[in-house]
Amino acid sequence: MSIALATALASALGFYLLLGMAYGLYFITFGAQSMVPAARGSGLGFRLMTLPGAVLLWPVLLARLIKGYPKPEAPRALRQAHVRIWMFLVPLVALGIMLSLMLRPAPPLNESLPKGLILEERGS
Amino acid sequence: MSHGYTAVQWNGFKWRYDLVVLAGLAVFITSFVLLTMGSRDPGQSLTLIQVLMRAFGAAAFLLLNVILAIGPLARLSPRIKPLLYNRRHMGVICFILALVHAGLSLLWYQGFADLNPIVALFASNTRYTSIAGFPFESLGFIALMLLAFLAVSSHDYWQAALGSTLWKRIHLGVYVAYGLLVMHIMLGVVQGEKDLIYPASVIGAFCLIAGLHGASAIIGRLRDRKVRASLDGWINIGAPQSIKENRARIIRTPSGDRIAVFRYDGKVSAVSNVCAHQNGPLGEGRVIDGCITCPWHGWQYRPEDGRSPPPFDEKISTYRVQIDGGMVYVHPDALPPGTPSPPAKISEAKS
Ligand code: FES
């Protein structure tokens, strides 16, 4: 990755967190309880604990505020998603492991010999 | 359950649980540092920071494996179920360990560069087509970001705020983070170390976790009796006496839904087997004080309407149930969560 691209990525991340911080301040004062009425009257400790979540999840929270909640999916759908993830993960990681072992650099000759047997450089 | 929130709901069990986890991690990290420093080859230059970096990374990976093993192990053996109770604390501790590992790595490798450490992390190595020289740090960074999302949203409040569906989808990200971490280690420390302990433990751990999840899925399928609906749509699940008192039989309908059919107090009721909290298997729980109690974290639901007792307001689907000719019949179409469905009375049943 070029320095320009990496800089753009880091700036985007910083900007995302900055906006998240602003939203987080609103969230711990008013937002947390307006989204979930059961949070009304919760203590300062709980509000502060929601801050990191609001900083990271602010786009989703905003979308929930604007669009509301979709219908909950059937439990079966989640189980299927769980199975699909493993079906995808196992072959992919297995392939990655195999490649990483096959293409692993060989240790220097001295290190591959039994301890105590050190090769002397010729001509020295 | 979602009524009034506190930052952490401590109780004696949680304190003991967390203390054991923290003590175990302290022993692991200390032993890792001492063993690594003690077994260094004379010519090997490994500083204390580098060893600590590895120790925290290894501890985070170990804990993640434990977290991922508890779910399937609890399905295979009921004795593991208490460990599920406080698993989220382990998740947060795992993220903190990973964060310390990442902080030490950034400090050691990028901290003295002129560039912003995050920029340096991504720009210092661009060999994405090489295996031995792959910028494995980027995989670790993405995994850390995923773990951060999981850790900050682990409180029950977030399930209510984000909506159950999205919350559960986000938390499936733990498997993606796990895969990334396996490759982070295989393309990182394993490439530079001749010691076989690193690849052996990572591959062993991955096989164990994948195997446990596979085994629990297969055993779960075999255990939950798949039933056929009879012609009029009702499913015969057998005599009420074949279900233990205050316990359930779990059945899998032709469409794949799991239903928990409970016998209690001379009655039979059927509800979804899936807890509204984190999908715990309600049918493996029991009826306590008149409520179905989830074996994972103890959320409760009334069998006759699938609603949590006041002041809570969680709901699960219910199913119609009747007893005819001494047999319990359940209709496989789920009623909307929280819909009252009259229990079938065993005493009134003609046999
Ligand atoms: S899954 Fe947590 S209480 Fe049921």
Side-chain angles (χ1 to χ4, degrees):
Chain A
M1 192 180 291
S2 68
I3 290 192
L5 189 59
T7 308
L9 204 81
S11 311
L13 191 67
F15 190 60
Y16 179 90
L17 294 178
L18 203 71
L19 286 179
M21 203 61 210
Y23 185 79
L25 290 178
Y26 153 77
F27 193 81
I28 58 169
T29 39
F30 311 106
Q33 65 218 37
S34 73
M35 286 196 86
V36 181
R40 221 159 268 157
S42 300
L44 183 67
F46 167 75
R47 282 155 188 271
L48 288 177
M49 195 218 58
T50 59
L51 183 63
V55 171
L56 288 189
L57 296 162
W58 65 268
V60 192
L61 295 170
L62 264 183
R64 286 283 178 264
L65 268 185
I66 297 165
K67 286 200 208 150
Y69 291 83
K71 257 181 75 181
E73 68 183 348
R76 193 169 63 237
L78 194 82
R79 217 166 38 237
Q80 282 161 354
H82 184 258
V83 171
R84 271 199 299 273
I85 285 191
W86 274 108
M87 303 284 253
F88 175 73
L89 203 63
V90 167
L92 202 69
V93 173
L95 181 71
I97 287 176
M98 256 159 40
L99 285 176
S100 67
L101 287 178
M102 276 158 45
L103 302 174
R104 188 172 170 225
L109 192 51
N110 268 346
E111 288 185 13
S112 61
L113 291 172
K115 275 211 169 106
L117 182 62
I118 306 292
L119 284 187
E120 282 179 22
E121 277 180 46
R122 281 174 178 250
S124 60
Chain B
M1 295 161 88
S2 61
H3 190 267
Y5 291 101
T6 50
V8 184
Q9 280 179 324
W10 291 110
N11 58 32
F13 181 74
K14 283 190 183 177
W15 276 113
R16 284 196 296 281
Y17 192 116
D18 286 356
L19 277 177
V20 170
V21 171
L22 290 174
L25 286 168
V27 170
F28 175 83
I29 291 173
T30 313
S31 322
F32 188 102
V33 171
L34 292 177
L35 284 173
T36 311
M37 296 299 271
S39 63
R40 256 180 331 175
D41 288 343
Q44 203 180 4
S45 61
L46 209 52
T47 62
L48 182 63
I49 292 209
Q50 284 173 297
V51 176
L52 279 173
M53 189 192 306
R54 284 189 187 184
F56 275 92
F61 186 68
L62 173 72
L63 194 57
L64 187 57
N65 279 288
V66 173
I67 293 167
L68 293 181
I70 288 176
L73 280 175
R75 298 223 71 203
L76 301 174
S77 162
R79 274 183 301 174
I80 305 291
K81 273 184 195 147
L83 295 184
L84 279 165
Y85 183 59
N86 210 19
R87 197 169 41 161
R88 71 181 72 188
H89 285 199
M90 281 208 256
V92 175
I93 296 172
C94 174
F95 167 66
I96 293 170
L97 291 170
L99 195 63
V100 174
H101 164 78
L104 288 172
S105 311
L106 273 186
L107 180 75
W108 182 253
Y109 292 112
Q110 321 290 354
F112 305 105
D114 291 337
L115 285 171
N116 169 331
I118 303 284
V119 176
L121 175 82
F122 282 105
S124 59
N125 180 0
T126 54
R127 289 181 291 163
Y128 282 92
T129 50
S130 148
I131 289 284
F134 190 89
F136 64 95
E137 302 88 346
S138 49
L139 300 180
F141 184 82
I142 300 169
L144 183 70
M145 292 292 105
L146 286 173
L147 291 180
F149 276 92
L150 305 186
V152 299
S153 63
S154 62
H155 194 282
D156 276 348
Y157 168 81
W158 289 109
Q159 194 173 351
L162 297 171
S164 192
T165 303
L166 179 65
W167 187 87
K168 286 169 184 167
R169 291 271 167 176
I170 288 177
H171 282 252
L172 282 179
V174 69
Y175 300 114
V176 181
Y178 182 63
L180 287 168
L181 285 179
V182 168
M183 290 320 299
H184 170 70
I185 303 169
M186 291 304 296
L187 296 172
V189 69
V190 166
Q191 300 299 310
E193 273 286 336
K194 65 181 163 73
D195 208 337
L196 286 180
I197 184 106
Y198 287 99
S201 25
V202 174
I203 295 169
F206 181 72
C207 292
L208 183 74
I209 297 299
L212 278 175
H213 278 262
S216 105
I218 293 168
I219 289 174
R221 280 192 146 246
L222 294 176
R223 218 187 259 164
D224 307 346
R225 291 196 319 164
K226 186 162 185 175
V227 286
R228 284 175 201 282
S230 61
L231 271 185
D232 53 359
W234 290 78
I235 296 169
N236 178 349
I237 68 148
Q241 291 74 15
S242 64
I243 308 172
K244 283 193 198 144
E245 179 68 11
N246 292 327
R247 296 286 191 158
R249 166 165 307 151
I250 304 169
I251 55 165
R252 190 153 49 88
T253 65
S255 61
D257 286 334
R258 285 180 166 88
I259 304 177
V261 187
F262 278 91
R263 176 183 154 202
Y264 59 101
D265 209 13
K267 294 177 274 188
V268 176
S269 285
V271 297
S272 162
N273 186 47
V274 182
C275 178
H277 182 216
Q278 287 176 20
N279 293 352
L282 287 173
E284 292 174 25
R286 58 172 79 191
V287 177
I288 300 174
D289 298 331
C291 285
I292 296 167
T293 306
C294 178
W296 282 13
H297 312 96
W299 281 29
Q300 290 192 304
Y301 308 90
R302 290 190 301 238
E304 56 279 3
D305 61 5
R307 288 172 183 265
S308 295
F312 305 108
D313 52 13
E314 275 72 32
K315 291 178 240 155
I316 50 171
S317 296
T318 50
Y319 292 83
R320 281 173 291 156
V321 59
Q322 59 170 315
I323 298 179
D324 189 25
M327 295 291 166
V328 178
Y329 289 87
V330 175
H331 201 281
D333 291 345
L335 300 171
T339 307
S341 172
K345 297 216 170 79
I346 298 173
S347 50
E348 283 175 14
K350 294 172 259 151
S351 56

